[in-house]
Amino acid sequence: MEELVGLREGSSGNPVTLQELWGPCPRIRRGIRGGLEWLKQKLFRVGEDWYFLMTLGVLMALISYAMSFTVGRVVRAHKWLYREIGEGHLLRYLSWAVYPIALVSFSSGFSQSITPFSGGSGIPELKTILSGVVLEDYLDIKNFGAKVVGLTCTLASGSTIFLGKVGPFVHLSVMMAAYLGRVRTATTGEPENKSKQNEMLVAAAAVGVATVFAAPFSGVLFSIEVMSSHFSVWDYWRGFFAATCGAFMFRLLAVFNSEQETITSLFKTNFRVDIPFDLPEIFFFVVLGAICGVLSCAYLFCQRMFLGFVKTNPLASKLLATSKPLYSALAALVLASITYPPGVGRFMASRRPTPPLPQLSMKEHLDTLFDNNSWALMTQNSSPPWPAEPDPQNLWFEWYHPRFTIFGTLTFFLVMKFWMLILATTIPIPAGYFMPIFIYGAAAGRLIGEALSLAFPEGIVAGGVTNPIMPGGYALAGAAAFSGAVTHTISTALLAFEMTGQIVHALPVLMAVLAANAIAQSCQPSFYDGTIIVKKLPYLPWIRCRKISSHRVIVEHFMNCGVNTLAKDTPLEEVVKVVTSTDLAEYPLVESAESQILLGTVRRAALVQALQAEPLSRAPGHQCLQDILATGCPVEPVTLLLSPETSLHQAHNLFELLNLQFLFVTSRGRAVGTVSWAELKKAISNLTNPPAPK
C-alpha cells in the first residue's frame, strides 16, 4: 500500500507524508531536521581534511598511550622478577640479561618475518619517499602491525638497550595517514592525488613527534627540517592541527588514567625563573654548543663507519642476512652485561646493586639530569646518606659513587654510551634513536654544568650580584645542542622547552644549538642522511658549496649528451632494435633525426603494445614510427625542460621542489641532453671535491 501524501495548508512546496503532518510536534521535528541538515552542510563546507587530520591525531595518540602503558607494565614485571629472584649472582644476572635478550630477539624475528621494512627508524626511507622515489610496500598497512609489536618489545627492554620510539612513530603515523587516504579515496570514488597525498604524509610526520613528546610546535618544525627540503606554507595548518589533536589527546589520556592532575609537560623542572643565568654564562653555553658539535661529528663518523663495517664484514653480514634474531640477541647480551648493576653498571646511573630499583628509566635519566641543584657541591665535603628506599625526589643518588665522584660517573657514562649507542643502532629492530642522543647530550651538558658550579661555587659575579650556577640548565642546552647537531635541526631547542614546560633558558639554549649545528653541518651528514648513504637509498644531496664560483656551473657542463631519441620517420625495424636493446621507461620523440626538435615522449609499455598489435610482416621496410603513432599510441607532452644555460643551483632547486627524477635539456627546441639524479650527484661531488687537474 502506497503511503498517502499531502500539502501543508497555504504551501506550494513539495508534498509531505500524512504521518509527518499528523504526527506529534510536527514543527519541532521539522526544526530539528532542518537544523541537522544545516549542520551537515556547514560541516562538509569546512572540508574533509579537518576530519581526516583529527582522526589521524586521535588514533596515533591512542596507540602511543597504549604502547607506553603496556611497556610500563612489562618493565614493572621485569623489576618484580629481579627483586624476587633471590640473592644469587648467577640467577640475578640471568634475570637481568635474559629478559631484554628475549624481547629484542622476538622483536627482530617477529617484525622481520612479517615484512623486512619494519626494522630501524623509518625516517631515512620516508625522506626518500617524500623526495619522489617510490619504495614498494613500505607504507603498506601490514607493516603497521609488525612495527607496533616490534617497537613495544624494544621499548619494554628498558634502559638496557637504551632506544626510543620517535622515528618508528613517525613511520607509523605516515603509514596510518597513507591507509586513511586510501580508505577516503575508495569511499569517495575520487582518483588518487599524489600532491595531496604528500601533504598528508608531511602532516602525519608532525603527528608522530607530537604524540610521543606532547609537543605540537616542535613536532611540526622537526618534521619540516628532517623530512622536507622545501615546505609549502599551505601545509602548515594541516601539520599544526593534526599535531595539536594528537598531543592534546595523548596528555588527556594521562589525566583520565589519574597519572596527572592536569595537562602538563612530560619532564617537570624547577629552574630559577627570576635570574636563571648570568650574562657571562652565555659564553659557556656557546662553548658547550661547540663541544656538542665536535662530539656529534665524532659520533656521526663512527656510527656511519661501524654501520658500513657491519654490512661488509662477512660474519656480521651473514648473521644479518640469515639470522637477524641471533645477531640481535648477541648485541643485547653485550649491552645487558655492561649495564648489569652489580658490575660495571654501578658506574652508569645504576649504583644500587640490589632491588627494587636496578636501573633508571629513560624518563628518570632526564628527570635527574635536569635537576637544578649542584651534585658536585652537595657531595664535595661529605657523602650524603644513602636512602634505604629509592626516593623519587632524589634519584640523582644513582649518579653518585663515593669512589668515583659525580664527574667520574658522568664521564664513564658518556664514554660507555658512545659506543653502546652505536652498537644499538645496528640491531635490526624497530627503534628510535632520537631519545638516546637527547639523553646523551643532557649528560654532556650536566658534566660541563657541574664543572662550572665547582669552579664558581658562589656563582659568577655580574653587576655586583652573584647567583648560583644551575647545572640543569646546561643539561637542557646540551640535550638540545647534541641532538640538534646529530639530526641537523634547530627545532630541538623548541622541543626542549615544550618537554620541560620552561623557556627561561631560551636564548642560551638556542645559541648552543646554533653553535653545534654550525660545526656538525660543515663536517658530517646528519644521522638520517648518513643512514641513507650507507643503505644506498636514492638520495639527492644538498649543495653545501655556496661560493660564487659554484653559480657559474651550468647544465651544459654536466648533462648527459647521449640521448636515445626516436624520430617520427624511423623505420619500425630500428624502433624494435632500440626498444629491445634499452630499458628506458620512456623515449623522447623528435620531428626528424636531422632537426631533433622535441615533440614529446612515448612510454615504453605503450610502444611495445602498439608494436605487438602491428606485425612487421605487413609491409616490411615501408612502415615507420609515425604509422604506429597514428593507430593510437599516445604521445605525452613534455611540460618542463632545462636549458643548457640553466645553473646547477636552479636545476637542483627544481628537482627538489617538484620531486623530479629526470628532465630533458633542449636548445631552441632541439633535444641536446638529459639530466637525472646521477648527473646532479656527480656535479655536486665535483663542487665539494674538485677532480685533480690532468
Side-chain angles (χ1 to χ4, degrees):
M1 179 178 179
E2 294 186 0
E3 195 173 21
L4 297 177
V5 297
L7 291 174
R8 296 189 182 93
E9 184 178 357
S11 172
S12 59
N14 296 327
V16 296
T17 63
L18 295 182
Q19 181 180 1
E20 182 179 351
L21 286 172
W22 293 346
C25 305
R27 293 184 178 179
I28 296 177
R29 289 189 291 109
R30 286 197 302 270
I32 294 175
R33 188 179 295 109
L36 292 176
E37 288 292 333
W38 176 86
L39 181 63
K40 179 181 177 181
Q41 293 177 1
K42 293 296 182 183
L43 288 177
F44 278 95
R45 280 183 60 187
V46 173
E48 70 275 7
D49 286 355
W50 292 88
Y51 310 112
F52 175 89
L53 295 170
M54 183 177 67
T55 302
L56 176 64
V58 171
L59 283 176
M60 294 312 300
L62 291 170
I63 295 171
S64 179
Y65 186 80
M67 186 179 296
S68 300
F69 183 83
T70 305
V71 168
R73 294 299 181 270
V74 177
V75 171
R76 186 178 302 175
H78 186 200
K79 290 182 178 181
W80 174 87
L81 177 64
Y82 187 81
R83 182 178 64 247
E84 299 294 333
I85 199 65
E87 298 295 331
H89 278 291
L90 179 60
L91 290 177
R92 184 166 292 172
Y93 171 76
L94 291 176
S95 68
W96 174 261
V98 172
Y99 207 84
I101 291 174
L103 287 172
V104 169
S105 301
F106 177 79
S107 173
S108 176
F110 177 81
S111 58
Q112 294 292 330
S113 64
I114 301 297
T115 171
F117 307 116
S118 58
S121 167
I123 290 182
E125 289 81 1
L126 292 178
K127 288 189 67 174
T128 303
I129 291 174
L130 291 177
S131 67
V133 179
V134 177
L135 297 181
E136 294 293 340
D137 300 329
Y138 194 76
L139 299 181
D140 195 80
I141 195 61
K142 68 178 181 181
N143 199 4
F144 187 91
K147 196 135 194 171
V148 167
V149 175
L151 180 60
T152 303
C153 294
T154 301
L155 298 176
S157 62
S159 299
T160 303
I161 308 301
F162 210 68
L163 294 173
K165 70 173 185 177
V166 178
F169 233 78
V170 171
H171 186 195
L172 290 173
S173 182
V174 172
M175 281 191 287
M176 179 61 72
Y179 176 72
L180 292 177
R182 290 193 293 268
V183 170
R184 182 178 63 177
T185 302
T187 303
T188 59
E190 299 177 355
E192 289 190 6
N193 190 321
K194 188 69 175 178
S195 176
K196 193 176 187 65
Q197 182 186 19
N198 283 348
E199 293 174 359
M200 295 305 174
L201 296 186
V202 173
V207 174
V209 179
T211 51
V212 172
F213 295 127
F217 291 101
S218 52
V220 173
L221 296 181
F222 186 80
S223 67
I224 293 173
E225 290 186 286
V226 172
M227 308 297 293
S228 311
S229 57
H230 292 76
F231 189 79
S232 174
V233 180
W234 174 250
D235 299 335
Y236 218 47
W237 71 267
R238 289 182 169 88
F240 271 111
F241 178 73
T244 302
C245 291
F248 176 76
M249 178 57 66
F250 179 69
R251 298 308 291 157
L252 194 64
L253 291 171
V255 176
F256 288 163
N257 200 34
S258 302
E259 297 177 10
Q260 300 286 340
E261 294 182 0
T262 184
I263 296 178
T264 58
S265 56
L266 284 179
F267 305 98
K268 297 179 181 179
T269 56
N270 297 309
F271 295 152
R272 191 172 58 247
V273 178
D274 50 353
I275 306 179
F277 59 91
D278 290 314
L279 186 59
E281 289 187 67
I282 292 289
F283 171 76
F284 295 111
F285 278 103
V286 175
V287 171
L288 172 61
I291 293 173
C292 289
V294 174
L295 196 60
S296 68
C297 290
Y299 173 79
L300 290 170
F301 176 79
C302 295
Q303 190 270 341
R304 194 170 67 255
M305 291 297 103
F306 187 72
L307 194 59
F309 168 78
V310 169
K311 288 186 173 296
T312 56
N313 180 265
L315 179 60
S317 60
K318 184 177 180 180
L319 281 176
L320 287 173
T322 59
S323 184
K324 289 183 175 65
L326 178 58
Y327 178 88
S328 304
L330 292 175
L333 176 62
V334 173
L335 296 175
S337 301
I338 295 295
T339 56
Y340 181 50
V344 182
R346 74 180 71 181
F347 306 117
M348 300 169 59
S350 299
R351 180 194 162 186
R352 187 183 297 270
T354 58
L357 188 67
Q359 192 179 40
L360 296 179
S361 66
M362 300 187 80
K363 183 180 185 303
E364 290 168 341
H365 273 92
L366 282 181
D367 286 336
T368 55
L369 292 171
F370 290 159
D371 185 11
N372 59 338
N373 296 313
S374 174
W375 304 340
L377 293 179
M378 294 171 64
T379 60
Q380 184 177 12
N381 298 322
S382 61
S383 299
W386 183 258
E389 294 293 332
D391 183 5
Q393 303 301 323
N394 292 293
L395 290 177
W396 68 271
F397 278 111
E398 302 300 318
W399 293 92
Y400 173 71
H401 196 281
R403 298 180 182 177
F404 223 45
T405 73
I406 289 296
F407 298 100
T409 55
L410 286 171
T411 304
F412 189 76
F413 178 87
L414 291 172
V415 171
M416 297 300 290
K417 285 298 182 183
F418 186 88
W419 67 267
M420 291 171 70
L421 286 179
I422 293 175
L423 175 62
T425 58
T426 64
I427 304 177
I429 54 176
Y433 310 117
F434 179 83
M435 194 64 172
I437 61 175
F438 194 82
I439 296 175
Y440 190 89
R446 184 80 198 190
L447 179 61
I448 302 297
E450 292 290 348
L452 290 174
S453 67
L454 190 62
F456 304 97
E458 301 297 331
I460 300 177
V461 179
V465 180
T466 59
N467 294 288
I469 291 176
M470 290 191 300
Y474 288 86
L476 185 67
F482 185 74
S483 59
V486 170
T487 57
H488 286 190
T489 56
I490 309 296
S491 56
T492 52
L494 182 58
L495 177 62
F497 303 144
E498 286 192 277
M499 289 171 62
T500 58
Q502 294 203 23
I503 201 171
V504 292
H505 287 86
L507 183 60
V509 169
L510 184 58
M511 294 180 70
V513 172
L514 290 174
N517 267 275
I519 295 174
Q521 294 194 26
S522 62
C523 298
Q524 292 291 328
S526 71
F527 179 86
Y528 305 117
D529 292 342
T531 305
I532 289 175
I533 294 172
V534 173
K535 289 186 174 182
K536 298 181 180 180
L537 296 172
Y539 169 67
L540 186 61
W542 288 3
I543 303 178
R544 300 191 179 277
C545 178
R546 291 294 176 178
K547 297 179 181 178
I548 296 179
S549 58
S550 67
H551 290 268
R552 301 193 188 102
V553 180
I554 58 177
V555 167
E556 188 177 11
H557 296 160
F558 60 86
M559 68 180 182
N560 178 20
C561 299
V563 187
N564 292 320
T565 60
L566 290 177
K568 293 172 64 177
D569 55 356
T570 304
L572 287 189
E573 291 83 356
E574 295 295 328
V575 174
V576 171
K577 290 180 181 179
V578 171
V579 172
T580 54
S581 61
T582 59
D583 56 353
L584 299 177
E586 57 184 12
Y587 297 95
L589 178 67
V590 296
E591 182 65 35
S592 64
E594 293 76 17
S595 67
Q596 290 290 310
I597 300 298
L598 185 63
L599 302 177
T601 60
V602 181
R603 290 195 172 275
R604 176 190 178 89
L607 188 57
V608 170
Q609 184 178 2
L611 288 172
Q612 291 174 348
E614 290 286 334
L616 300 179
S617 57
R618 286 188 180 180
H622 297 283
Q623 285 183 305
C624 61
L625 180 59
Q626 188 170 4
D627 299 328
I628 295 294
L629 299 177
T631 60
C633 183
V635 177
E636 298 183 3
V638 180
T639 57
L640 188 61
L641 298 168
L642 290 177
S643 167
E645 288 76 29
T646 304
S647 70
L648 170 63
H649 289 269
Q650 291 173 329
H652 185 271
N653 287 338
L654 274 176
F655 271 75
E656 282 198 327
L657 185 61
L658 301 178
N659 296 333
L660 302 174
Q661 306 289 321
F662 179 87
L663 279 179
F664 290 105
V665 183
T666 60
S667 176
R668 298 180 180 179
R670 297 178 65 251
V672 294
T674 59
V675 172
S676 64
W677 278 21
E679 287 76 31
L680 283 175
K681 285 181 180 180
K682 186 175 181 180
I684 295 171
S685 176
N686 290 338
L687 274 182
T688 308
N689 302 304
K694 297 182 180 179

